[in-house]
Amino acid sequence: MCGIVAAAARREVSEILLEGLRRLEYRGYDSAGMALIDNDRHLLLHKKKGKVSELERAQALDPYHGCTGIAHTRWATHGEPSGANSHPHISGQRVALVHNGIIENHSALRAELQGAGYDFASATDSEVVAHLLHRELEAGRSLLEAMRAAVARLEGAYAIAAVDTQHPEEVVGAREGSPLVVGVGIGENFLASDQLALRQVTDRFIYLEEGDLVLISPSTIQILDVDGRPAERSKTRIEAAVESAELGDFDHYMIKEIYEQPRALAATLLCEPDHSISDTAFGERAAAILDRVQTVQIVACGTSYHAGMVARYWLEELAGMPCEVEVASEFRYRKRVQHEGTLLVMISQSGETADTLAALRNRSEGEFIGSLVIANVDNSSLVRESDLVFLTRAGPEIGVASTKAFTTQLVALLMLTIVLGRRRGMTAERERALVGALQSLPDHVQETLMMDPAIEELSGAFIPKRHALFLGRGIHYPIAMEGALKLKEISYIHAEAYPAGELKHGPLALVDEDMPVVAVAPSDDLLEKLKSNLEEVRSRGGQLFVFADIQSGFANEPGITVLPMPHCPEVIKPIIYTVALQLLSYHVALQKGTDVDKPRNLAKSVTVE
Ligand code: F6R
């Protein structure tokens, strides 16, 4: 959510900063800006409402040059998306500053700074930090000491990078509650909110810890810990990703990432030669914690929450393991009573989602026997702070709508079901069958991808619609929820999901010939029940689009369009049906002409509350 890139080098950095912003743009794209210090110690500033391409255009028309600079792409929280509210914020023509996060006490600080004679040019919370830093610098402090004094006044979450014309070779940074990483170069150093922004210039990174301050110059990196003491932080070398963050031959990241699923799923499944799942897939210390698990509490947001809902069916049905699932934004503020022996499981593609992270950080002493995170980003905050970690191997997910991250989370969750199920009497034969089903998954997803032209054809029916209903039963209810979320977030069609049995308790009133109804209808124990629910829709004139395998026995008839799904083992059906629904929302959005990869108002990695 928002992206920061900064550089202190001996070469011109504007193109490095712009490339970094392009790579981070999926995190926020309301406005973008860049500040450079030139050889004459002047502060040069471009800020533009809209996408990074607007900033690039400004730089092309009026090129600024400098070896020290900061840049930002914004997802608006305080203050509308506008040129004035975009970062960097300037103070006294000497300080420029970019900020991710939310400063909760900004109103009080603004009043105090206005009282001290500072004029505000924006409606943002972030501008107060620029003025605070300026005030400390004017008092004669060094850049690092001034930043330390400034952040001591802040309440809330921040990742900050700032430059000062009187320290023209340096960039100062700070983090608390929002990620910031140092990119280590040769004769140049960088800061960014995500290492992805800097992969073009380095593969060596230092992940800052909460409360850290950092000062970089072309040849030095100085870190202070939360108490202001010099701190050593280890360097991590990041291997080249199997999947690049480039678009290649695809038109959009979303469709590229949908098509990457067979490989991503295969890479995520870690199984032993005897077709079992080892406890160590969840970390070296996993067995000791897993042995004590009596019940599981899953916490996540959005699409990751849907993965948790699917997992509850697996854990209870296949592993006999009680499981609760809750959205993190509710869980974190609720007075809770946990059962003894509860494992806290967090699911998060980014590993940085503020609410999910808060659920981990705010747990009370002894509330859980341990924590496990399923994440796609190594070294993310959740990964660093959880007892156990499972990294999905989806590769970078750039499309804001989550696709391959979701399906790889499901693989991880079925693996978790197996290792916990083994402790509750799951036989080796059953385990082998489940692993076999997971091994067959990439092929079945490949087959599902071949439905792309048929789904594209069907998607036309949704273009004139303003609403859609998604129905499923049992484990396919969360899949219907995921289908509805995908459709609404990228095509802006209002879509709701219901467990089909709930229809007659209210939502059936919405059904008429204008309401497309998507049914997730594989042949399973609940199919006959679902069929009666769908009859209720048909008899009210609703237009049904049924995703079903041949055994389900649906046929095209007036009012029913059937999308024939590949036959596959029952346990992996939720994943296969998800892929078909991803394709549906992609094609609807494409035809509606929305920005598929960067839907309005959204951003990847929600690091604010
Ligand atoms: C929807 C989507 C979001 C995320 C949610 C949680 O397509 O991507 O709903 O799933 O913001 O993000 P993570 O998984 O990074 O915690």
Side-chain angles (χ1 to χ4, degrees), residues 274-328:
D274 66 349
H275 302 277
S276 66
I277 302 293
S278 164
D279 292 343
T280 54
F282 295 90
E284 287 306 317
R285 298 189 303 130
I289 293 179
L290 297 176
D291 281 349
R292 293 164 52 219
V293 178
Q294 302 291 326
T295 154
V296 170
Q297 171 69 63
I298 297 178
V299 179
C301 303
T303 286
S304 298
Y305 167 69
H306 297 155
M309 287 184 72
V310 173
R312 181 170 61 182
Y313 287 91
W314 283 336
L315 283 163
E316 298 207 337
E317 271 177 46
L318 304 175
M321 178 64 72
C323 175
E324 300 281 335
V325 191
E326 193 165 347
V327 286

Side-chain angles (χ1 to χ4, degrees), residues 301-304 347-350 353 400-402 485-486 489 606:
C301 303
T303 286
S304 298
I347 310 170
S348 174
Q349 181 279 131
S350 61
T353 300
V400 164
S402 188
L485 178 63
K486 285 289 94 84
E489 70 184 320
V606 185

